[in-house]
Amino acid sequence: MATGRAIVGPTFVVLLMTTISVDAGDNNGVYSPCADTTVQYKDGFTFGIAFASRTAFFYNGNSSILLSPCDSRLSLSTQSSQISVFRPKVDEISLLTINTSSFSPDNYGGYMVAFAGRKYAARSIPAFVANSTYTVTSFTLVLEFKKGRLQNLYWKRDGCAKCSGSSSSFVCLNNQDCAIRTSSCKNHGGSVDCSLGMQLAFSGTDKHLSVFNSWYEVENLRQYSLYNLYANLRDSLTSQYNKIF
């Protein structure tokens, strides 16, 4: 793992955090989220999450033309934006985290887009993360492939299942996102760790036409309440990094 500030490719946006892991069984030599590749089962796959205002992801503010953050026409460098880059292993269920102890998504437009690729660019629709009133801390992102080429990234909503039985600090937004009041977050003077957690899964086929199964495993797990499990894991990881740094 490496953390720091850097410049990524032609988008010229500031890097908030990079998580890049290299495994002995990883045969994918493409490490930039703004480059094309095809993958097979157990390869590493690099993609990015960009944070900005919702309109920043649309060409000239046109709500019908959504571009990838890799597209220089967005000019994210001239706007308040941040980016995180991750390299999970293909077809493994992963939990990605972004530490918000020194980063407040609401200060960077409050929306995020997942993206990867250039000629075969794929991007998710903008997902609400935070504003001055509410912050969403838990997401499920599905990466859809065809013959090993990324086709789509989409946020899977659960209808506020993670809010069930939670304290009054949590609110269901638009019947799809479980949010906490931003004033309760540590980065806004509260007591709650509002670091972002993203459950990641894969669907479709790899370049050898082997079917990805992690999305079906996630669907089976969705009947259980995973919020506390992920929160505990995230807290454990955070405490370990605090000991190192």
Side-chain angles (χ1 to χ4, degrees), residues 104-161:
S104 298
D106 52 304
N107 290 337
Y108 294 93
Y111 281 81
M112 65 179 176
V113 164
F115 66 95
R118 174 168 297 284
K119 179 180 179 181
Y120 301 97
R123 74 285 180 271
S124 72
I125 63 172
F128 172 77
V129 183
N131 58 23
S132 60
T133 306
Y134 298 113
T135 296
V136 180
T137 62
S138 183
F139 300 86
T140 297
L141 177 65
V142 181
L143 282 71
E144 182 180 15
F145 287 78
K146 182 178 181 180
K147 297 181 180 179
R149 178 86 66 190
L150 182 66
Q151 304 293 308
N152 191 22
L153 305 99
Y154 59 92
W155 306 103
K156 187 68 175 178
R157 299 317 212 259
D158 68 354
C160 296

Side-chain angles (χ1 to χ4, degrees), residues 61-216:
N62 187 331
S63 60
S64 65
I65 307 177
L66 177 63
L67 299 178
S68 165
C70 292
D71 194 318
S72 59
R73 289 177 295 174
L74 288 183
S75 300
L76 290 180
S77 61
T78 64
Q79 305 180 51
S80 181
S81 59
Q82 295 277 317
I83 184 173
S84 291
V85 178
F86 299 93
R87 190 177 175 87
K89 185 170 287 189
V90 171
D91 205 30
E92 286 192 355
I93 299 175
S94 303
L95 175 66
L96 312 179
T97 62
I98 297 177
N99 190 335
T100 58
S101 59
S102 58
F103 166 67
S104 298
D106 52 304
N107 290 337
Y108 294 93
Y111 281 81
M112 65 179 176
V113 164
F115 66 95
R118 174 168 297 284
K119 179 180 179 181
Y120 301 97
R123 74 285 180 271
S124 72
I125 63 172
F128 172 77
V129 183
N131 58 23
S132 60
T133 306
Y134 298 113
T135 296
V136 180
T137 62
S138 183
F139 300 86
T140 297
L141 177 65
V142 181
L143 282 71
E144 182 180 15
F145 287 78
K146 182 178 181 180
K147 297 181 180 179
R149 178 86 66 190
L150 182 66
Q151 304 293 308
N152 191 22
L153 305 99
Y154 59 92
W155 306 103
K156 187 68 175 178
R157 299 317 212 259
D158 68 354
C160 296
K162 298 180 182 69
C163 295
S164 178
S166 299
S167 70
S168 58
S169 296
F170 290 88
V171 176
C172 181
L173 298 180
N174 303 317
N175 294 317
Q176 63 180 15
D177 290 317
C178 184
I180 191 168
R181 299 186 188 281
T182 301
S183 59
S184 299
C185 297
K186 287 183 178 179
N187 56 3
H188 286 79
S191 60
V192 179
D193 179 4
C194 291
S195 294
L196 305 184
M198 282 173 273
Q199 181 181 347
L200 187 70
F202 294 78
S203 69
T205 57
D206 75 357
K207 62 184 180 181
H208 302 301
L209 298 182
S210 295
V211 176
F212 294 145
N213 294 312
S214 59
W215 169 238
Y216 301 104

Side-chain angles (χ1 to χ4, degrees), residues 222-236:
R222 289 170 73 86
Q223 61 184 301
Y224 304 105
S225 177
L226 300 178
Y227 181 84
N228 289 333
L229 171 63
Y230 288 149
N232 291 339
L233 175 58
R234 184 180 61 203
D235 291 344
S236 175

